[in-house]
């Protein structure tokens, strides 16, 4: 099972955004800096707001993005982008 966010240089992408930028991770499990700031062994004080920038949605990435697009009314755009990027068979 491939963990892209554990392998460089992809694992550096979440750190390239400004500190005040929200980050969303769609994945089967917490990885990378998301795990360090939101993992099960993290002990945060009640006044610590560092994790408020991160949103983790556990599950299949493709299914999660399709659900998000459905909620936002973007299903047609997603389907069109998928058609345009499909490899010829």
């Amino acid at each position: 099972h491939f963990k892209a966010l554990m392998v460089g240089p992809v694992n550096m992408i979440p750190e390239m955004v400004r500190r005040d930028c929200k980050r969303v991770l769609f994945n089967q499990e917490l990885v990378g800096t998301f795990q360090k700031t939101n993992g099960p062994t993290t002990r945060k004080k009640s006044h610590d707001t560092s994790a408020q920038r991160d949103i983790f949605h556990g599950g299949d990435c493709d299914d999660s993005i399709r659900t998000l697009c459905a909620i936002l009314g973007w299903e047609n755009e997603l389907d069109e982008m998928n058609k345009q990027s499909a490899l010829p068979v």
Side-chain angles (χ1 to χ4, degrees), residues 2 10 15 17 26-27 33 41-43 45 49-50 53 61 69-70 76-78 88:
F2 181 68
V10 174
E15 295 306 309
V17 298
F26 293 97
N27 200 34
T33 57
T41 60
T42 303
R43 302 266 190 263
K45 296 183 179 2
T49 59
S50 62
R53 75 183 287 223
C61 184
C69 286
N76 292 338
E77 289 87 346
L78 178 64

Side-chain angles (χ1 to χ4, degrees), residues 15-27:
E15 295 306 309
M16 292 178 177
V17 298
R18 294 186 330 251
R19 297 293 305 156
D20 61 338
C21 182
K22 300 287 185 188
R23 305 183 311 170
V24 180
L25 174 63
F26 293 97
N27 200 34

Side-chain angles (χ1 to χ4, degrees), residues 4 6 11 16 22 24 34-35 38 62 65 68 77 83 85:
M6 305 270 311
N11 66 344
M16 292 178 177
K22 300 287 185 188
V24 180
F34 282 83
Q35 185 175 29
N38 302 295
D62 290 346
I65 295 300
L68 177 62
E77 289 87 346
K83 272 193 256 179
S85 64

